């Protein structure tokens, strides 16, 4: 399952669904205001496999959380 960060258009979710990829938005989950590290931890705990974002500094700011959740990919 893929998580779309707040900086991506909601319409991308429909595109992914048509391609057979289950996805949700951070807004739908109530995670709109979570910082990157907290978001990565919450996403991993909820079973997401990837976070899609346009935030080029996501990996930098969420570095420690991402090390703790090696099963989670971040796609920029």
């Amino acid at each position: 399952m893929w998580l779309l960060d707040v900086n991506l258009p909601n319409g991308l979710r429909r595109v992914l669904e048509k391609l057979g990829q289950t996805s949700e938005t951070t807004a739908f989950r109530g995670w709109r205001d979570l910082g990157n590290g907290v978001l990565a931890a919450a996403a991993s705990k909820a079973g997401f496999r990837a976070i899609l974002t346009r935030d080029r500094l996501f990996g930098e700011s969420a570095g420690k959380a991402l090390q703790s959740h090696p099963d989670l990919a971040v796609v920029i």
Side-chain angles (χ1 to χ4, degrees):
M1 189 162 48
W2 296 21
L3 180 65
L4 305 180
D5 201 0
V6 69
N7 54 25
L8 292 173
N10 290 337
L12 182 55
R13 186 176 174 273
R14 288 187 295 278
V15 172
L16 290 171
E17 293 291 329
K18 286 181 182 179
L19 295 171
Q21 297 299 321
T22 304
S23 63
E24 290 183 8
T25 64
T26 53
F28 177 80
R29 282 277 174 157
W31 296 344
R32 179 180 277 284
D33 296 326
L34 295 183
N36 291 344
V38 175
L39 178 62
S44 179
K45 184 176 179 182
F48 287 95
R49 291 299 196 213
I51 297 175
L52 279 68
T53 184
R54 289 182 3 191
D55 181 353
R56 293 178 188 222
L57 299 177
F58 193 101
E60 244 178 77
S61 63
K64 285 186 180 182
L66 292 172
Q67 288 176 358
S68 299
H69 303 284
D71 57 330
L72 183 67
V74 176
V75 180
I76 300 173

